[in-house]
Amino acid sequence: MLATQGWSATTVAAVAEAAGVSRGAAQHHFPTRESLITAVMEQMFETMTADASVVLADVPDDLDTRVNAVVDKAVAIYTGTQFKAALQVWAAAASDPALREVILPLEAKLARAAHRFTVAGLDPAGVHPDAHRLAQVTLDLARGLGLADTLSDDSRRREQVVATWCGQLVDALSQ
């Protein structure tokens, strides 16, 4: 609901109705929208963090293929439904200090896991001096592509941008 209908429409009553439970039952467990959203966000960030922490055993050794797989995974983290839902909550948290206090540590945990995955995927031997910087640029690019994808299907342009960035990464990592 957060991803498709937004913060305002995601109330305890609306979620209860969509889930097929009574409003009273929902409010017994989640007395406020903030408590419901916090629980959803904690679970969502745990799932996103687990996805970002994927073991790289299946990533090929070939540099071109490896870079493409790592960048595709980074972009997938930030273009999925969960990211779209997180954006709704982030926007609400920008003007709600209590909500922001809950969300910041969750986002930081996700960011660390995504960064670790990306660094390990781009530089499995841990020897490239620019790997951390290249990983951060990759994740910043992925976040931007995810943001662009929230208003319209941006997949065609995104594919071109990703292909161009993968070529740049291969060049940088080959040095």
Side-chain angles (χ1 to χ4, degrees), residues 74-154:
V75 170
I77 291 168
Y78 292 105
T79 55
T81 301
Q82 292 176 329
F83 179 73
K84 288 177 175 71
L87 282 176
Q88 293 291 326
V89 178
W90 288 341
S95 60
D96 182 338
L99 184 58
R100 183 173 43 248
E101 188 175 314
V102 170
I103 298 306
L104 281 175
L106 298 173
E107 196 281 331
K109 183 177 178 182
L110 170 64
R112 284 190 304 274
H115 191 263
R116 277 191 306 272
F117 163 83
T118 307
V119 169
L122 295 178
D123 185 27
V127 297
H128 199 283
D130 294 327
H132 286 271
R133 182 178 56 84
L134 293 170
Q136 191 58 57
V137 173
T138 299
L139 293 169
D140 289 344
L141 173 70
R143 251 184 248 106
L145 292 171
L147 184 58
D149 192 54
T150 59
L151 296 177
S152 64
D153 180 5
D154 197 33

Side-chain angles (χ1 to χ4, degrees), residues 1 6 8 11 13-15 18 21 63 83 94 110 119 122 128 157 159 161 166 170 174-175:
M1 287 186 77
S8 297
T11 63
V15 170
V21 299
L63 181 62
F83 179 73
L110 170 64
V119 169
L122 295 178
H128 199 283
R157 187 183 72 79
E159 287 173 14
V161 170
C166 285
V170 169
S174 296
Q175 297 176 7

Side-chain angles (χ1 to χ4, degrees), residues 62-75 118 122 134 137-138 141-142 145 158-174:
D62 170 63
L63 181 62
D64 288 344
T65 308
R66 186 178 73 239
V67 165
N68 285 322
V70 170
V71 173
D72 285 346
K73 177 66 176 172
V75 170
T118 307
L122 295 178
L134 293 170
V137 173
T138 299
L141 173 70
L145 292 171
R158 183 172 59 244
E159 287 173 14
Q160 294 171 347
V161 170
V162 167
T164 300
W165 179 241
C166 285
Q168 295 293 316
L169 276 174
V170 169
D171 289 347
L173 293 167
S174 296

